[in-house]
Amino acid sequence: MRRIYLITYDVCDPKRLRHTFRCLRNWGDHLQYSVFECQLTETDLLRCKAELAEIIHHKEDQVLVIDLGPAASRRDDLVEAIGQPYSAMAAPCLVI
Amino acid sequence: MRRIYLITYDVCDPKRLRHTFRCLRNWGDHLQYSVFECQLTETDLLRCKAELAEIIHHKEDQVLVIDLGPAASRRDDLVEAIGQPYSAMAAPCLVI
């Protein structure tokens, strides 16, 4: 069963930032500069977290993984957007 | 009754970015470069959203407001941190 996760990150080093971005691009949709939405199985989540744990510096960087619940019973009222709508970015970012 | 909200933002203009940061600093704790955690009543939330709606450019910027549920029954497993712990930033950021 897939669950929806918002994953946000603060990564201090440009190289690690690029690697974090590239890692998450494989797992989900890019919503904001440092925010992805990922629909992951339990195994996916473990793999994704393991990859991120390899990339980041554990004393300088931070990744937050926010569980928004089962993908199958997605609650549309959990995330509200002000300004641009809540959807994957059309032009995926400067950090490549 | 207060609820916990994660508020993330992508704001393209430096002046609006500063204003967004200053606005959210009044409402909650700064977690990451563009992520705040706010514990808000329904009225607080409306006021906070109204302030943000005044600040941002609605076609260029985006604020996401993510409802993490009641503050009184906070679920610690909803947000997981990799790297630095999940807490307010000790040194609140470059954007002042």
Side-chain angles (χ1 to χ4, degrees):
Chain A
M1 194 187 71
R2 287 179 185 276
R3 298 178 72 85
I4 301 170
Y5 297 91
L6 275 194
I7 301 182
T8 74
Y9 51 94
D10 244 3
V11 174
C12 302
D13 170 77
K15 190 174 168 191
R16 295 198 303 272
L17 184 64
R18 280 197 302 278
H19 288 180
T20 304
F21 175 79
R22 284 180 191 153
C23 165
L24 285 170
R25 196 170 49 176
N26 291 331
W27 291 107
D29 293 322
H30 189 217
L31 297 186
Q32 290 186 348
Y33 180 74
S34 59
V35 181
F36 276 78
E37 181 188 298
C38 306
Q39 298 198 13
L40 305 175
T41 64
E42 204 167 333
T43 310
D44 291 341
L45 178 64
L46 289 173
R47 287 178 54 202
C48 176
K49 288 196 296 187
E51 288 178 17
L52 291 167
E54 285 286 314
I55 292 167
I56 68 165
H57 186 297
H58 286 246
K59 292 204 170 152
E60 292 184 3
D61 307 329
Q62 184 190 56
V63 177
L64 294 179
V65 181
I66 302 135
D67 181 356
L68 296 186
S73 55
R74 185 186 186 118
R75 280 185 50 200
D76 285 334
D77 59 341
L78 276 185
V79 181
E80 182 181 356
I82 308 169
Q84 288 192 36
Y86 175 39
S87 59
M89 288 171 84
C93 190
L94 305 166
V95 185
I96 295 181
Chain B
M1 194 187 71
R2 286 179 185 277
R3 297 178 73 85
I4 301 171
Y5 297 92
L6 275 194
I7 301 182
T8 74
Y9 50 93
D10 244 3
V11 174
C12 302
D13 170 76
K15 190 174 168 189
R16 294 198 304 272
L17 183 65
R18 281 196 301 278
H19 288 181
T20 304
F21 175 79
R22 284 180 192 154
C23 166
L24 285 170
R25 197 170 48 175
N26 291 331
W27 290 107
D29 293 322
H30 189 216
L31 298 185
Q32 290 187 347
Y33 180 74
S34 59
V35 181
F36 276 77
E37 180 188 299
C38 307
Q39 297 198 13
L40 305 175
T41 64
E42 205 168 330
T43 312
D44 291 341
L45 177 64
L46 288 173
R47 287 178 54 202
C48 176
K49 288 196 296 187
E51 288 178 17
L52 291 167
E54 285 288 313
I55 292 167
I56 69 164
H57 187 297
H58 287 246
K59 292 204 171 152
E60 292 183 3
D61 307 329
Q62 184 191 57
V63 177
L64 294 179
V65 181
I66 302 134
D67 182 356
L68 297 185
S73 55
R74 186 187 185 117
R75 279 186 50 199
D76 285 335
D77 60 340
L78 276 185
V79 182
E80 181 181 357
I82 307 169
Q84 289 191 36
Y86 175 39
S87 58
M89 289 172 83
C93 189
L94 305 166
V95 186
I96 297 183

